[in-house]
Amino acid sequence: MPIEAPRRTALRRIAAGLAGTVAVAAGFVTWAVHRPDVLFAKGRCYGGAPVKKKALVVYATRAGSTGEVARVISERLCAMGFDAEVQPVDSVSSVSGYQAVVLGSAVRYGAWLPEMTKFIAFQQSALSQLPLAIFTLHMQALGDDTASQAARAGYTKAVRAVVNPRDEVFFAGKVDPTTLSFFERMAVKLVRSPVGDKRDWDRIRRWADGLSETLH
Ligand SMILES: Cc1cc2nc3c(=O)[nH]c(=O)nc-3n(C[C@H](O)[C@H](O)[C@H](O)COP(=O)(O)O)c2cc1C
């Protein structure tokens, strides 16, 4: 039976309304998850001193601060005579050819970033043959009390279940709302995370300098 003209018009209006709502919702989600592009730290430097070891520093980041720390670590390794390379995790397919590895990740929602945990699972056997150190950037549980220490340890529990680093360190990181998406800014507000650049570069350099012993 043909639909009467007034009903047809009403159905068309409902369909147009629904399509408009879906388009607005899709536009909102696209806007709300969008964050500014990150400049990924990448590079290689040569130690020159007779260490004759190649070190790889691999990191996972969302907003860039972990990559900047990774770069400084690689520069310190070079200052101590390593040939060091720094790469974001998505650019690394293998750790073969290196004699030492440093892995670092930002914490999001209580854990290392998934691309880094996947990388570790995939490279588990190769990583188990190499001297390994790991570092974490985070903004909560920064204190020296037992509860904070336990919370920090929880961030890398899954990592330590897969690999056995010779050294592990936690660094205060950076939250800059201008580098985050709308949803991320909401999450930061919700958990009342500290905001700002809390990285202690002297401490980061001191830890990196200690790697010369740890990774030999
Ligand atoms: C959405 C979001 C979730 C976060 N979740 C945690 C968390 O669960 N625990 C924590 O200590 N820090 C958390 N942080 C802080 C980050 O780990 C910290 O800002 C880090 O420096 C970010 O590194 P990146 O700039 O390399 O992405 C979170 C930050 C954001 C923006």
Side-chain angles (χ1 to χ4, degrees):
M1 201 169 70
I3 305 173
E4 308 143 28
R7 258 184 93 196
R8 227 176 8 236
T9 312
L11 284 174
R12 269 202 208 109
R13 281 197 186 132
I14 290 168
L18 277 175
T21 309
V22 168
V24 169
F28 171 74
V29 171
T30 308
W31 168 80
V33 298
H34 177 266
R35 76 171 79 86
D37 289 342
V38 169
L39 198 66
F40 288 100
K42 273 183 180 204
R44 191 173 288 167
C45 52
Y46 299 95
V51 173
K52 301 244 186 282
K53 279 199 173 181
K54 282 175 78 181
L56 177 65
V57 183
V58 188
Y59 67 90
T61 184
R62 283 289 174 277
S65 66
T66 309
E68 290 162 2
V69 170
R71 184 195 290 285
V72 167
I73 291 171
S74 75
E75 286 168 0
R76 291 313 305 161
L77 287 170
C78 285
M80 291 177 299
F82 285 84
D83 289 345
E85 197 172 329
V86 58
Q87 292 290 348
V89 65
D90 289 342
S91 305
V92 180
S93 54
S94 158
V95 294
S96 79
Y98 299 94
Q99 285 83 47
V101 175
V102 181
L103 302 176
S105 176
V107 171
R108 288 270 165 125
Y109 311 111
W112 270 25
L113 294 175
E115 59 269 33
M116 183 56 97
T117 42
K118 268 186 215 143
F119 175 81
I120 291 172
F122 200 63
Q123 298 290 333
Q124 180 184 25
S125 133
L127 288 170
S128 69
Q129 317 280 321
L130 291 167
L132 171 71
I134 64 173
F135 68 95
T136 298
L137 260 75
H138 66 114
M139 281 304 252
Q140 288 162 55
L142 294 172
D144 285 330
D145 54 295
T146 334
S148 298
Q149 284 176 18
R152 289 199 290 268
Y155 292 157
T156 53
K157 193 171 172 223
V159 175
R160 279 179 278 105
V162 179
V163 288
N164 187 19
R166 290 186 181 182
D167 197 5
E168 164 168 32
V169 69
F170 294 87
F171 296 127
K174 176 180 173 185
V175 168
D176 172 359
T178 65
T179 64
L180 303 177
S181 70
F182 171 76
F183 282 148
E184 289 168 340
R185 290 197 298 275
M186 290 299 104
V188 161
K189 275 202 180 133
L190 209 66
V191 299
R192 299 205 177 96
S193 164
V195 172
D197 190 350
K198 308 283 181 197
R199 291 171 296 178
D200 177 345
W201 293 105
D202 284 341
R203 188 169 164 246
I204 291 165
R205 287 193 194 94
R206 271 200 309 278
W207 181 75
D209 287 355
L211 291 176
S212 144
E213 286 260 310
T214 317
L215 298 179
H216 263 303

